[in-house]
Amino acid sequence: MRILWPTVTLVIAAAAAVAACNVAVTRNASGRVYSCVDSVPMRQVGLLLGTSPRSRLTGREGRFYAPRINAAVSLYRAGKVKRLLISGSDSSAFGINEVQSMRRSLLARGVPDSVITLDGKGYRTIASVRRATQVYGLSNYVVISQRFHNERAIYQADHISRLNAGRVIGFNAADPKGVLAARIYVREWFARVKLMWEVWLQ
């Protein structure tokens, strides 16, 4: 019993910390993430967060890929953004160039190449958001990804630069279903704990 109670206390504390981080990130983005194109405030640039066109585990089509492409195309066609900055990995260990793949998909859907900028150094979400501000000089843009990802990116943007605070918004791509997608959502809970650690240690 002497060993059990400290262990239980530690587990409860860890669970509370995870829950608190998730609540903080979700609340911070409240009123700033949109699922309807017509409701999205206009921005000059949409930051399309990279993802692989196919699963690294199964080789099948990536469940997050097509919804993000659809979301970016919808925003552009509706005139909600004038330009698209695609930020992701240009040299993954699996031989997948995320930004070039997304560029080709956008071109196939009628988005002009002249409005697309590639940032192949967005290896992580926080890198994509930091580079949007520090390299591309953006402070007022719309993040394009799934809702959980947008909420995390918005929190990061708010803490990377005072110019971003309250100005970055998100447009939600459709959430995929299935077991593989569910694994991503579970991982997101812990990604938000890591997020807190990173932003407050800057």
Side-chain angles (χ1 to χ4, degrees):
M1 291 296 291
R2 291 180 179 178
I3 298 177
L4 179 61
W5 281 112
T7 301
V8 170
T9 300
L10 181 62
V11 170
I12 292 175
V18 171
C21 290
N22 277 269
V23 169
V25 172
T26 299
R27 285 183 175 176
N28 180 71
S30 179
R32 296 164 61 190
V33 287
Y34 302 85
S35 296
C36 176
V37 173
D38 293 339
S39 301
V40 180
M42 292 183 64
R43 294 290 191 268
Q44 284 296 312
V45 180
L47 174 62
L48 176 57
L49 296 179
T51 187
S52 175
R54 63 180 185 272
S55 170
R56 295 176 174 86
L57 295 176
T58 66
R60 297 178 180 176
E61 182 178 347
R63 293 175 180 268
F64 294 87
Y65 186 84
R68 290 191 199 178
I69 296 298
N70 292 340
V73 171
S74 296
L75 278 185
Y76 179 75
R77 287 179 176 173
K80 297 295 184 175
V81 295
K82 303 299 182 184
R83 300 189 58 84
L84 291 168
L85 171 60
I86 306 174
S87 185
S89 172
D90 61 2
S91 58
S92 79
F94 296 85
I96 300 172
N97 189 318
E98 292 178 349
V99 294
Q100 286 291 358
S101 294
M102 299 184 97
R103 171 182 168 271
R104 288 192 293 268
S105 294
L106 290 174
L107 293 178
R109 297 285 299 276
V111 177
D113 199 24
S114 59
V115 306
I116 299 174
T117 299
L118 303 184
D119 176 16
K121 306 306 178 186
Y123 301 124
R124 298 175 54 214
T125 305
I126 194 167
S128 294
V129 174
R130 181 179 290 116
R131 288 175 60 80
T133 298
Q134 298 177 354
V135 177
Y136 296 94
L138 304 180
S139 61
N140 190 16
Y141 56 91
V142 52
V143 184
I144 307 168
S145 187
Q146 277 69 28
R147 184 186 184 100
F148 71 87
H149 203 189
N150 286 338
E151 291 176 342
R152 176 154 49 94
I154 288 172
Y155 192 95
Q156 290 168 330
D158 284 352
H159 287 78
I160 284 172
S161 170
R162 292 181 180 178
L163 293 176
N164 290 337
R167 305 180 70 187
V168 176
I169 61 175
F171 180 56
N172 303 327
D175 287 320
K177 308 297 181 182
V179 176
L180 291 178
R183 292 175 65 251
I184 299 295
Y185 298 132
V186 172
R187 189 177 68 181
E188 175 65 17
W189 277 68
F190 298 96
R192 294 185 176 192
V193 176
K194 184 178 181 180
L195 155 67
M196 294 294 184
W197 178 265
E198 290 178 329
V199 298
W200 292 113
L201 285 181
Q202 288 185 30

